[in-house]
Amino acid sequence: MSNLKKIAITIGDPAGIGPEVALKSIISKEIANICNPLIIGDRTVIEEAIQCLNLPVNLKNDAIVIREDSLLLTDKAGADLTIAQFVDVPVIKNRGFIKNKPLAECGRASVAYIKKAVDLALHKHADAVVTAPICKESLMMADYPWPGHTELLAELTDTKDYAMAFCSQRLRLILVTIHESIRKVPDLITKNKVLKTIIFARQACRMLGIDEPKVAVAGLNPHAGESGMFGSEDVNEIYPAICEARDSGISASGPYPADSLFYRAYNGEFDIIVCMYHDQGLIPLKMTAFDKAVNMTIGLPIIRTSPDHGTAFDISWKGVANPASMIEAIKLAVRLKQI
């Protein structure tokens, strides 16, 4: 186990499903032999989650161990029962804290976990960071300025240029704009921003082992603008960016009408899609791979992935959360190469 990658895993918003999917993931046989997990969160939250959710593990000092009476991982008979190391970040002081809703205290805890994980990765004490979901409203209630993980991670790593990418078994995509209102998006679609995202798309694929990817660029407007009939952005901003990317050696093409592009990529014609705004890419991704899709941040000096779902307050702390996306996020973090 010593030569395996060490993956720092934050538990996300304590009131959501983060603690559950993080713990269920490290119990999974899919994770047991591919990495050394390092769980980052409050001791009180982890202890309550183990008891409340009746998980077959115990927290002993700085380690999460399989209970000796558990039949879990029986194929590792005789091996060390430790399945993860643990780093206590004490923000939530008491068990029985309020769950299933946004809270300022949980926003502060979420940020504290992320800061610790990033610090470990920057100082080479972790090979990658996997973040469980946080609540944007909780961040706002705690008076933090970041609209989500991506912007916080960029600030913590002093990263100016970055992009949010997503990966499933049959779709890969990257966003030109991230958390912006639809009203603002057209003004944010500039040649330089599209070009940077195309370059990041190639980088994302190379991190996945695809050295010369086919990059498809989606149009902003219906029918990719229909030669300017439905808007000027596709002609004046997106197409010139594609041409410049091609001139630099990137296999980029488009802009394509988004309504048919995802079908083509889903069937293997392209390696990654450059999407103009959040829901243009996330709706087809979640439609086809809701439980398996993974978010990855491109441009950071560290590897970071996360499950592509939220805190799910409606089902949190009930023992029914599906860890599949979290498991895929950990597997991808192990697989990715820093470029």
Side-chain angles (χ1 to χ4, degrees), residues 249-278:
I250 299 174
S251 180
S253 58
Y256 296 108
D259 59 0
S260 58
L261 176 56
F262 289 92
Y263 174 83
R264 296 169 65 183
Y266 188 79
N267 285 287
E269 188 173 344
F270 303 106
D271 294 302
I272 191 167
I273 300 173
V274 175
C275 302
M276 295 301 115
Y277 57 94
H278 185 278

Side-chain angles (χ1 to χ4, degrees), residues 124-235:
K124 309 303 181 184
H125 299 305
D127 297 296
V129 173
V130 179
T131 56
I134 61 175
C135 174
K136 295 175 178 60
E137 188 174 349
S138 295
L139 296 187
M140 183 177 64
M141 293 170 71
D143 295 324
Y144 290 128
W146 311 289
H149 266 119
T150 306
E151 296 82 2
L152 169 56
L153 290 162
E155 182 172 316
L156 292 176
T157 58
D158 195 27
T159 301
K160 303 304 180 187
D161 291 321
Y162 54 89
M164 181 184 287
F166 297 85
C167 180
S168 70
Q169 186 175 1
R170 295 180 65 172
L171 276 179
R172 302 177 198 91
L173 58 94
I174 192 165
L175 306 180
V176 175
T177 64
I178 303 177
H179 299 119
E180 303 289 351
S181 72
I182 292 295
R183 186 183 297 274
K184 293 180 180 179
V185 167
D187 291 337
L188 296 173
I189 302 301
T190 65
K191 174 191 168 184
N192 286 341
K193 192 165 183 58
V194 174
L195 177 60
K196 283 182 180 181
T197 310
I198 294 172
I199 294 169
F200 277 135
R202 180 175 63 177
Q203 180 180 339
C205 287
R206 287 180 169 178
M207 292 173 71
L208 289 161
I210 306 169
D211 291 333
E212 297 300 331
K214 296 177 181 178
V215 180
V217 181
L220 172 66
N221 297 293
H223 301 189
E226 200 75 79
S227 299
M229 186 180 301
F230 303 139
S232 62
E233 296 86 2
D234 300 273
V235 173

Side-chain angles (χ1 to χ4, degrees), residues 23 39 41-48 50 57-67 84-88 95:
L23 289 170
I39 297 292
D42 277 279
R43 182 176 297 274
T44 53
V45 175
I46 294 294
E47 289 176 340
E48 186 171 356
I50 290 171
V57 295
N58 289 319
L59 179 55
K60 293 185 177 180
N61 298 320
D62 296 327
I64 297 174
V65 301
I66 294 291
R67 286 205 320 259
Q85 298 301 309
F86 172 70
V87 175
D88 185 22
R95 287 203 200 182

Side-chain angles (χ1 to χ4, degrees), residues 70-82:
S70 171
L71 297 177
L72 197 65
L73 302 180
T74 52
D75 57 326
K76 294 181 66 182
D80 187 351
L81 293 175
T82 297

Side-chain angles (χ1 to χ4, degrees), residues 299-313:
L300 302 178
I302 62 174
I303 290 172
R304 178 264 174 165
T305 67
S306 73
D308 184 30
H309 59 66
T311 50
F313 287 137

